[in-house]
Amino acid sequence: MRAPCRTAYAACLLLLAGIISNSPVDASSAVIKGVRIPCSNEGEPVRLQDTRLEQDWSSCFRCICKNGFVDCRSGAEECGQMDDCAVVMPREGCCTKCKGCWYNGTEHASHTEWNDDGKVFRCEAGVITISRPECYAPCDRPKQQRHTHNNCPVCDECVINGQRVWEGRDVRIPEEPCLSCRCLHGSLSCVKRACPVLPCARSQQHMPLGECCPRCLHPNSDKLLPNPGNVPWKPCIIGKEFHAHLRPFRVDPCTDCTCMNGTAVCSRHTCPVLTCAKALPPAPGKCCPECPQIEEAKTACVIGGKIYQDGDTWQLDACKSCECHSGEPRCAMERCPTLTCPPDQTLRQMPGQCCPKCVDMDGICTVFGDPHYKTFDGKFYSFQGSCKYQLASDCVNGTFSIRISNDARNTSHSSWTRTATLRIGPTKINMGKKMRIKVNGRRVTLPHKINGVAEIAKSNGSVLLKSEIGVQLLWDGDGFLEVTVSSAYKGKLCGLCGNFNSVARDDMRTRDGKHLNDTWKFGSSWRVGGTRACTRRQKQRMNVPLRQSKIVKARRLCRGFVRYESFMECTTKVNPHHYQEACELDARSCSGTRCHCAAYRAYARECTRFGAEPKNWTHTAWCEGAAPPWLSRNRKNRGPKTKGTNLMDLGNIPKFTNKKVRPPPPILHL
């Protein structure tokens, strides 16, 4: 295996085989192997172009930098859809393709559909199904109208079984899952279509939840069978049966097929729409199910102890409603479209709405350790200023501001976040050490609610502040702060947490709008309160040579990100590189034994957010219990040692008193 590329956009050799989920590359035949690689251009595209690649792979993959890793998705628009492909063709270039269909001298890709002379043609992995849709009008006086949904008659009102059909959206009926009703230009049109013929056997088919037609369970490779007499016509395979060229055959009572040079062309009858709740299966030799004969019509429906008269409607939920038809409930439900959200969005179910939609992700900024910052857009940097700073503010509408106070801890270079203050209008909420909370200068006990402003409560050993305007703070009382803001603030923020515009590279903008690469100048530009808010003289930290033993101990303390079993699941979702760097920096610059734990806690929090919560890591990482013997070695002559000594704890800092020390007795000379 060659060494990985080390360019800024180094997706190159390590991405393309067996490591990208749902990739169109056939892993069994690929020659490029490797592992996921890290990246630093968070949220930005990564180009798959390198001179060592045999071809340009950028047309087959869409890659971005996400959570510190290059994350790629297959370019389905170039390679063609492979979901539920029944017959897979040999790979050509970067793509595997589903077997297509030849019809009247034209090649059609699998899963495609076209219309001709009132009929619907669908290609499904080498099989063409021809059917004529059945129209259905769920109203008393339908109107004949051309150019709408297969020229079917329409209803004036876009309502079926009590369910409102929104413009351009499909509604399905449970009793007739293949019936689709759609509202177009204010009129309701319903069409039932036949399911396509599949090339796999019935035993290899399954019915997806909520779908109308079955699909093949496992894809098969394209079979090249010998042809008797070397005739250049390809055969057809349906299930386990072999059919020669131009040979007619029957799949079921509704379907007659003919093999046409490797493509099975099938004509399938579409069964009419039934109005009964429970249909009888098809009689022997017949194609379609039928409704049972009703001896006596009912005039009411009894559902859950409630009585609904004929024609009454009721709403089950945001997606489904029902109507009483001759004593039987008939329901309809909205069919939600399949959505694939871009990397900076997530699928979210909105209150009162049936279908989820793609919405911008909330922004999360984290402050931890000797302070290390991860901005809303994912940029990491360290800034040891020991003053008061503007962490995040709404710089467009001025709805809120968050300030933090960093303490020097009586050191020459280290610092930590001592307090965080949120201002919303006239309300000022201060979060201090040991989780002490003040509202407008007065100490409050938790839980506490400020009507119309925020709620404050303890949650898993931290304080959680939820405001009414979409700003949330999580504070552990000892330097860890997490700020979450609603996507409504996208592009409106400024401060140490960046501007929240989905681009990490421009987060280091000063108060006057200049873009800097110097973290000290950038952080200092957001200082507030003047020099009186500082706990030591402000000067940029210089690189001081350290003893090799201290460097070795720091590396040993922080290697758990990639070695501890607790984090194994998370390392595939969130790159631990920046957290490990922060851990080593804290362990080298701090004289305590727990300074490395802040980075572990921040990483564990990030892992939990991505569904990979680490278990029992605190003892393994020496963040609870006694410190390891090698960490306390050579400390015999450094005075008494307090268990768990840490500069993070203000209680360990010696206090100065005004008590006078009694002088020693005088020496008398006789």
Side-chain angles (χ1 to χ4, degrees):
M1 176 63 196
R2 294 182 180 181
C5 303
R6 303 193 183 278
T7 61
Y9 294 96
C12 60
L13 299 175
L14 302 180
L15 290 170
L16 304 175
I19 53 170
I20 303 173
S21 61
N22 301 323
S23 156
V25 175
D26 184 3
S28 62
S29 61
V31 295
I32 305 173
K33 295 184 179 180
V35 295
R36 297 185 72 189
I37 64 169
C39 55
S40 58
N41 54 319
E42 186 70 25
E44 297 185 42
V46 176
R47 300 179 62 187
L48 286 177
Q49 291 183 350
D50 191 272
T51 55
R52 283 169 285 183
L53 296 177
E54 296 179 359
Q55 63 185 62
D56 181 10
W57 293 81
S58 59
S59 64
C60 299
F61 297 95
R62 295 290 179 265
C63 303
I64 66 163
C65 184
K66 187 175 182 180
N67 304 318
F69 284 123
V70 177
D71 187 10
C72 295
R73 295 290 183 268
S74 61
E77 63 275 11
E78 286 83 7
C79 291
Q81 185 179 351
M82 291 299 297
D83 295 342
D84 303 306
C85 177
V87 181
V88 179
M89 299 292 288
R91 183 167 68 90
E92 296 179 3
C94 63
C95 302
T96 53
K97 290 188 176 181
C98 195
K99 183 179 180 180
C101 308
W102 278 94
Y103 186 75
N104 287 344
T106 303
E107 184 179 10
H108 299 272
S110 184
H111 309 304
T112 57
E113 193 173 275
W114 67 99
N115 296 277
D116 188 14
D117 193 23
K119 296 179 181 179
V120 176
F121 294 73
R122 181 175 179 86
C123 172
E124 198 70 38
V127 182
I128 290 180
T129 305
I130 307 173
S131 62
R132 189 177 293 275
E134 285 281 335
C135 297
Y136 175 67
C139 57
D140 295 333
R141 296 180 180 179
K143 295 180 179 180
Q144 195 66 36
Q145 189 172 344
R146 294 178 60 82
H147 308 300
T148 57
H149 217 181
N150 294 278
N151 295 327
C152 287
V154 299
C155 300
D156 285 336
E157 190 179 10
C158 289
V159 175
I160 179 171
N161 294 347
Q163 178 69 33
R164 169 66 60 181
V165 185
W166 300 105
E167 188 75 21
R169 190 69 62 82
D170 278 337
V171 166
R172 298 293 174 94
I173 298 175
E175 294 83 9
E176 288 283 0
C178 288
L179 178 68
S180 171
C181 295
R182 176 168 290 194
C183 186
L184 296 173
H185 309 297
S187 298
L188 182 68
S189 176
C190 299
V191 173
K192 181 180 180 180
R193 296 187 179 183
C195 289
V197 179
L198 300 178
C200 55
R202 288 188 177 273
S203 60
Q204 294 296 314
Q205 297 178 12
H206 74 108
M207 182 69 74
L209 183 65
E211 293 291 330
C212 157
C213 299
R215 297 178 184 175
C216 292
L217 278 172
H218 307 292
N220 298 319
S221 297
D222 185 49
K223 300 179 178 65
L224 301 177
L225 299 181
N227 295 318
N230 295 322
V231 178
W233 304 111
K234 295 181 181 179
C236 300
I237 301 174
I238 301 291
K240 298 180 180 179
E241 297 181 358
F242 165 80
H243 304 281
H245 174 60
L246 295 181
R247 179 180 177 182
F249 58 96
R250 173 166 283 195
V251 175
D252 54 50
C254 285
T255 311
D256 292 306
C257 304
T258 301
C259 180
M260 304 290 291
N261 191 21
T263 296
V265 181
C266 301
S267 179
R268 171 164 281 186
H269 176 69
T270 305
C271 293
V273 177
L274 300 180
T275 57
C276 54
K278 296 181 180 179
L280 298 176
K286 290 192 175 183
C287 171
C288 299
E290 298 177 351
C291 285
Q293 294 183 354
I294 301 176
E295 297 180 356
E296 181 180 356
K298 298 179 181 179
T299 59
C301 302
V302 181
I303 307 295
K306 293 184 178 181
I307 299 176
Y308 298 93
Q309 300 300 324
D310 192 43
D312 287 351
T313 62
W314 62 96
Q315 193 80 24
L316 293 180
D317 52 43
C319 290
K320 192 174 183 181
S321 62
C322 302
E323 184 176 358
C324 183
H325 283 271
S326 301
E328 293 182 349
R330 299 197 65 196
C331 301
M333 61 187 303
E334 187 173 348
R335 179 177 173 83
C336 297
T338 302
L339 297 178
T340 301
C341 299
D344 59 343
Q345 291 188 336
T346 184
L347 203 61
R348 183 174 296 173
Q349 186 74 47
M350 308 304 289
Q353 295 187 10
C354 171
C355 299
K357 63 179 183 179
C358 292
V359 297
D360 290 332
M361 292 182 180
D362 292 340
I364 299 175
C365 177
T366 308
V367 185
F368 64 95
D370 186 12
H372 311 287
Y373 299 83
K374 182 188 177 186
T375 67
F376 293 120
D377 294 327
K379 182 176 182 60
F380 275 87
Y381 68 94
S382 299
F383 171 60
Q384 283 77 30
S386 55
C387 303
K388 184 180 289 186
Y389 302 93
Q390 179 174 309
L391 184 67
S393 293
D394 179 358
C395 296
V396 175
N397 300 316
T399 56
F400 77 93
S401 68
I402 302 173
R403 294 181 175 183
I404 57 172
S405 295
N406 291 351
D407 195 337
R409 308 183 188 181
N410 292 338
T411 64
S412 60
H413 52 269
S414 296
S415 61
W416 69 301
T417 303
R418 183 182 62 192
T419 64
T421 304
L422 170 65
R423 286 182 179 268
I424 301 176
T427 305
K428 176 182 175 182
I429 306 172
N430 180 269
M431 310 173 78
K433 62 180 183 179
K434 298 182 180 179
M435 295 186 285
R436 294 175 182 145
I437 308 299
K438 291 182 180 180
V439 177
N440 293 331
R442 298 183 61 182
R443 177 84 176 270
V444 297
T445 57
L446 302 183
H448 183 77
K449 182 176 181 179
I450 310 170
N451 291 330
V453 179
E455 292 184 0
I456 314 169
K458 289 188 177 181
S459 174
N460 296 326
S462 300
V463 174
L464 181 62
L465 187 160
K466 290 184 177 181
S467 72
E468 298 288 336
I469 62 172
V471 179
Q472 177 177 299
L473 276 70
L474 183 72
W475 169 249
D476 74 343
D478 192 29
F480 177 85
L481 177 65
E482 180 184 274
V483 179
T484 304
V485 296
S486 164
S487 58
Y489 293 102
K490 201 154 195 175
K492 299 179 181 180
L493 305 184
C494 61
L496 296 181
C497 282
N499 53 17
F500 188 30
N501 66 347
S502 299
V503 179
R505 69 172 181 266
D506 66 350
D507 274 350
M508 296 182 65
R509 289 194 178 275
T510 61
R511 187 184 295 274
D512 56 2
K514 294 180 180 179
H515 181 260
L516 301 177
N517 291 322
D518 189 318
T519 56
W520 180 261
K521 291 181 179 179
F522 161 71
S524 299
S525 75
W526 291 106
R527 193 178 75 185
V528 294
T531 56
R532 61 180 181 178
C534 302
T535 54
R536 69 161 175 258
R537 183 181 177 184
Q538 295 301 292
K539 60 180 180 178
Q540 189 166 1
R541 177 177 178 174
M542 305 300 293
N543 292 326
V544 180
L546 296 173
R547 296 191 306 273
Q548 186 64 27
S549 60
K550 196 160 191 175
I551 296 175
V552 171
K553 287 181 179 180
R555 289 175 179 172
R556 189 172 180 182
L557 282 170
C558 301
R559 64 187 180 183
F561 290 96
V562 294
R563 289 198 178 188
Y564 295 158
E565 186 177 350
S566 303
F567 296 111
M568 286 297 101
E569 182 183 356
C570 186
T571 53
T572 63
K573 299 180 178 181
V574 182
N575 191 345
H577 172 70
H578 292 294
Y579 296 92
Q580 188 169 1
E581 275 191 343
C583 176
E584 293 183 9
L585 180 63
D586 291 353
R588 292 196 304 264
S589 60
C590 172
S591 60
T593 58
R594 309 286 190 194
C595 300
H596 66 290
C597 297
Y600 276 109
R601 290 192 184 97
Y603 187 63
R605 172 70 178 170
E606 191 79 359
C607 294
T608 302
R609 190 160 36 247
F610 283 89
E613 181 180 3
K615 305 292 184 182
N616 305 320
W617 63 268
T618 52
H619 281 85
T620 311
W622 298 299
C623 293
E624 285 186 4
W630 55 265
L631 187 59
S632 304
R633 198 175 298 161
N634 299 326
R635 289 178 173 265
K636 294 181 180 180
N637 300 323
R638 298 187 184 182
K641 185 182 77 170
T642 303
K643 182 179 179 180
T645 301
N646 184 358
L647 287 177
M648 299 285 187
D649 188 356
L650 291 181
N652 295 324
I653 300 177
K655 296 182 179 179
F656 297 96
T657 66
N658 293 325
K659 293 183 179 180
K660 295 182 179 181
V661 181
R662 179 177 295 179
I667 300 176
L668 301 177
H669 298 276
L670 298 175

